[in-house]
Amino acid sequence: MYDFSTLMHDLDQLRCHSFVRTQEIGQSVLKKPIVELQIGEGETYVHMNASFHANEWITSAVVMAFVREYVEALQNKQHLCGYDVQQLYKRTTLSVVPMVNPDGVDLVLHGKKAAQHYEDEVVRINGGSEDFSQWKANIRGVDLNNQFPAKWEVEKERKIPKAPAPRDFPGFSPLTEPEAQAIATLTKERDFFKVLAFHTQGKEIYWGYERCEPPEAEEEVNEFAKWSGYVPVRYIDSHAGYRDWFIFNWKRCGYTIELGEGVNPLPFSQFHNIYKDSIGIFVTALART
């Protein structure tokens, strides 16, 4: 499993490298730091994030494995997937928020005690069950990937939960949750060239929104598909997600990559196959700038 403490340990190890920078971009409801990691010297920022959804915590492990391999290749002056990483480092800055929803991740992995003073509340929201394996929301029962002001009203109207729930409740208004606020603020400040949000599951890559995506998005997603075998999907009937909001407002490339296949939470036994399939996406996203 890959929980918040594992992430903190991995970040501590990465900070030993002079070319890895980290900063706290906000805090979760339970005051856990939401950390951004940066690698690179370029003015072109490529952003990646993981674990918007609590029971998709394997995405954090995958993204951090990408980062470690990138750092190792930089340190050893090696190529990665055929690309010269020294050139990528000079030309781009990689921005990674590896765990958007640390409270939710720890709830799924460690149970109600991880909710601290929200313990009784999460059990109530979960219908009295102490099995949190299907929990996607943050600790207040808000689905963080339904929090963004891109036709948020449409999702609010049609989502079945009208109050905090383990999944799908978009909140009482957009950007009420500190985790979503942190990502939104970071995105505005950094002026990202493109964004990749890692989720599970389905082996699909969503790449269009409301015809706002740029022409080059199709060419790039086809490159991702060649590396991964994942299926590009231009439009889905969904709004208020982070990627939706980014494409809608910036008219730039944004992708949701649905890693692996099966039923969430995916077993950690899928990690190596997921990583092998998706490492090419990670490097290509940096190279195509």
Side-chain angles (χ1 to χ4, degrees):
M1 66 180 182
Y2 199 90
D3 61 6
F4 176 71
S5 66
T6 306
L7 171 65
M8 289 295 104
H9 175 264
D10 284 355
L11 288 172
D12 280 344
Q13 290 193 316
L14 283 167
R15 286 187 191 106
C16 299
H17 302 281
S18 59
F19 46 81
V20 177
R21 309 181 296 279
T22 62
Q23 72 159 5
E24 185 177 311
I25 63 164
Q27 293 185 338
S28 67
V29 172
L30 295 179
K31 305 301 182 189
K32 292 186 176 83
I34 300 168
V35 178
E36 181 205 27
L37 177 153
Q38 284 186 40
I39 303 171
E41 296 175 341
E43 293 182 8
T44 301
Y45 278 78
V46 175
H47 175 69
M48 303 183 188
N49 61 56
S51 290
F52 254 95
H53 288 143
N55 67 349
E56 299 175 11
W57 53 265
I58 196 170
T59 58
S60 294
V62 172
V63 167
M64 287 298 288
F66 291 158
V67 169
R68 283 194 300 274
E69 188 158 359
Y70 186 45
V71 166
E72 196 173 300
L74 284 167
Q75 194 175 18
N76 298 325
K77 296 183 167 53
Q78 297 168 330
H79 280 54
L80 193 55
C81 297
Y83 292 105
D84 181 348
V85 294
Q86 308 296 326
Q87 290 301 313
L88 300 184
Y89 179 84
K90 288 173 187 166
R91 199 171 69 238
T92 65
T93 295
L94 171 64
S95 158
V96 180
V97 177
M99 193 174 287
V100 176
N101 184 6
D103 299 346
V105 167
D106 280 357
L107 176 65
V108 168
L109 291 173
H110 301 302
K112 65 179 183 178
K113 294 292 184 192
Q116 300 175 28
H117 53 285
Y118 281 87
E119 182 177 330
D120 293 341
E121 184 68 3
V122 295
V123 172
R124 185 191 66 76
I125 291 171
N126 207 35
S129 171
E130 295 186 14
D131 175 4
F132 293 97
S133 61
Q134 297 307 303
W135 190 281
K136 293 176 71 173
N138 76 345
I139 211 74
R140 288 203 290 230
V142 176
D143 190 320
L144 297 175
N145 206 40
N146 277 314
Q147 267 272 283
F148 291 84
K151 293 197 170 182
W152 176 87
E153 298 79 8
V154 174
E155 293 300 287
K156 179 180 186 290
E157 187 64 32
R158 68 182 178 179
K159 289 293 187 189
I160 292 169
K162 303 302 179 191
R167 55 175 294 161
D168 297 337
F169 175 59
F172 293 109
S173 58
L175 297 177
T176 56
E177 302 309 293
E179 301 92 347
Q181 290 167 5
I183 288 285
T185 300
L186 179 74
T187 303
K188 291 172 184 172
E189 288 176 353
R190 293 272 186 271
D191 193 29
F192 295 133
F193 180 73
K194 75 178 79 165
V195 303
L196 291 81
F198 289 90
H199 288 254
T200 56
Q201 44 70 33
K203 294 191 172 182
E204 293 180 329
I205 306 169
Y206 306 135
W207 62 277
Y209 182 71
E210 297 287 295
R211 302 194 180 281
C212 294
E213 67 282 357
E216 60 268 23
E218 184 167 17
E219 190 179 330
E220 182 165 43
V221 80
N222 287 333
E223 281 293 309
F224 293 166
K226 282 180 195 170
W227 278 104
S228 63
Y230 286 16
V231 178
V233 178
R234 187 167 193 171
Y235 298 127
I236 53 172
D237 185 18
S238 179
H239 304 283
Y242 171 71
R243 175 192 65 93
D244 307 329
W245 173 74
F246 180 78
I247 295 174
F248 190 71
N249 284 281
W250 279 268
K251 311 295 188 284
R252 296 175 186 167
C253 295
Y255 307 97
T256 299
I257 296 107
E258 297 284 354
L259 298 171
E261 60 186 345
V263 178
N264 289 333
L266 295 183
F268 202 70
S269 58
Q270 281 202 32
F271 172 84
H272 292 293
N273 284 336
I274 289 172
Y275 184 76
K276 178 168 57 69
D277 289 344
S278 53
I279 179 67
I281 296 175
F282 171 80
V283 187
T284 302
L286 286 175
R288 291 182 63 92
T289 53

